[in-house]
Structures are given as C-alpha cells and as structure tokens.
Amino acid sequence: MTEIAVFVGSLRSGSLNNKLAHNLEKLAPEGVRFNYVDLNLPLYNADVEEANYPESAQKAKDIVAASDGVLIVTPEYNRSVPGVLKNTMDWISRPHGTNSFDGKPLALAGASGGPIGTAVAQSDLRHIAGYLNMRLLGQPELYFNLANDKFDENGQVVDEYKGRLENYMQSFVDFVQKH
Ligand SMILES: Cc1cc2nc3c(=O)[nH]c(=O)nc-3n(C[C@H](O)[C@H](O)[C@H](O)COP(=O)(O)O)c2cc1C
C-alpha cells in the first residue's frame, strides 16, 4: 500500500479543495491510501511545544512520518498559503531536529473559483518545501482554476477533467515509488 498524507488547506464544509482532494483519491491508481491530516490545530507556540506538544499536532506529525508521500491541496489566501496550512506545517516541522517532512516526496495542487488556480500559493509552498528538504514533483502541475464549474452537485469532477486528475495521480505515485 502506498500511504499518502493529505493536507486540504481549507476548513470550509463546501470547500472546492476538499472536493478536489476526494476526486484525486477516487481517481488514484490501485493500492494508494489517502490519510487526511486534520488542520484544526492550536496556533503554534514554542512555549506550548516545550511544555506539552499537543496531541492533535502529534497525530498530524505521525501521519506524515508514516507516509510514503505528501499531497497538499490548498486554496490561495491573499496570494499566499492559508494560515491553517502553514500553522500545521510549522507544528510538524518541530520539535527542532524532528522535521517529519524531511525527504518526503511532495505534490502540490489547488482549486480556486478564480482564473489563476492557486499558482502563487503553490509557488510559496515550493519555497517552504525546499527548506523542509522535501522532494517536489515538478510536473505535471495542477492549478484547478474556475473550479466552481468543474464539479457536479454531488461534488464529482465533471467527466472532461477526470483524465487530467488520473494522470496527475499516476505521475505522483510513480514519483513516490522512485524515491
Ligand atoms: C481570506 C481569503 C483570501 C483569498 N485570497 C485569494 C487569492 O489570493 N487568490 C485567489 O485565487 N483566491 C483567493 N480567495 C478566494 C478563494 O480562492 C476561494 O474562496 C476558494 O473557494 C477557497 O477555497 P475552498 O473552496 O477550498 O475553501 C481568498 C479567499 C479568502 C477567504
């Protein structure tokens, strides 16, 4: 089984990114398991880290540590990374010397209602991932723009885009297996 730690950078119930992640899960090759990370964590605070690393952050850290690869599916907020996602990544990178992202293959994806499909947020994530010593899938990229029109009323991606999502997941799983 190929274990993928999945981050959805939105807590919103109707999230386009949550829909995209679940469609990617459905269209992934056989033998792939998505393990969703809960981003609803306390705000990172070094005092709390030292005194009592939160159980919820430990749970997130353990999912990443046990994974073969990491998939981030996120909106763009104010031309960057949503705070909940960055906060979770900060927790998982700590305590110092125990960065659970170290060496993990990473794929970035994002959906937005707008035209640029989270390109700037993904660009910022490449900087963060480089520092965290992750192995980034360069191609294919997945900027799921104008996404309000790309899902049906049940949250399924419309047929036209299924092949693209399938190809993206196959490429990521091949990349994970190479590393
Ligand atoms: C605080 C905030 C900032 C936003 N900034 C951007 C942005 O910089 N670029 C963009 O394309 N969309 C931006 N949006 C719109 C989001 O792309 C849109 O709300 C999207 O649906 C959020 O993802 P979700 O559906 O997964 O929750 C922003 C939304 C919020 C709430």
Side-chain angles (χ1 to χ4, degrees):
M1 189 61 73
T2 303
E3 304 285 352
I4 306 295
V6 182
F7 292 71
V8 176
S10 170
L11 302 178
R12 195 168 76 85
S13 57
S15 164
L16 294 169
N17 285 278
N18 195 38
K19 287 180 194 167
L20 179 57
H22 282 85
N23 279 277
L24 288 169
E25 180 176 11
K26 204 172 279 177
L27 295 168
E30 256 180 63
V32 170
R33 180 157 48 210
F34 273 29
N35 303 301
Y36 288 87
V37 174
D38 185 358
L39 272 55
N40 212 339
L41 305 185
L43 290 177
Y44 176 79
N45 178 330
D47 294 339
V48 176
E49 180 198 312
E50 271 176 40
N52 187 15
Y53 192 94
E55 207 175 297
S56 54
Q58 187 62 51
K59 214 166 154 191
K61 192 169 169 64
D62 290 346
I63 291 174
V64 171
S67 72
D68 301 303
V70 174
L71 170 65
I72 297 179
V73 186
T74 186
E76 175 174 294
Y77 279 0
N78 298 313
R79 292 284 180 262
S80 190
V81 179
V84 289
L85 175 59
K86 180 62 164 54
N87 183 57
T88 302
M89 295 181 79
D90 290 342
W91 274 117
I92 292 171
S93 72
R94 303 292 295 186
H96 183 69
T98 72
N99 165 27
S100 307
F101 291 115
D102 189 13
K104 299 283 181 188
L106 169 69
L108 300 173
S112 75
I116 67 160
T118 76
V120 184
Q122 290 191 41
S123 176
D124 282 0
L125 276 165
R126 285 191 194 96
H127 290 280
I128 298 168
Y131 180 74
L132 291 173
N133 202 32
M134 302 183 81
R135 307 283 170 262
L136 179 72
L137 175 73
Q139 299 293 336
E141 296 174 301
L142 185 51
Y143 304 122
F144 214 60
N145 68 350
L146 309 173
N148 287 307
D149 298 330
K150 292 181 177 170
F151 299 102
D152 67 17
E153 62 283 1
N154 301 315
Q156 306 298 309
V157 74
V158 297
D159 285 349
E160 190 185 341
Y161 299 102
K162 281 187 179 154
R164 199 169 131 202
L165 300 192
E166 240 164 28
N167 175 55
Y168 175 82
M169 280 312 300
Q170 184 67 59
S171 302
F172 181 44
V173 171
D174 290 347
F175 182 75
V176 167
Q177 284 165 359
K178 256 193 252 161
H179 285 79

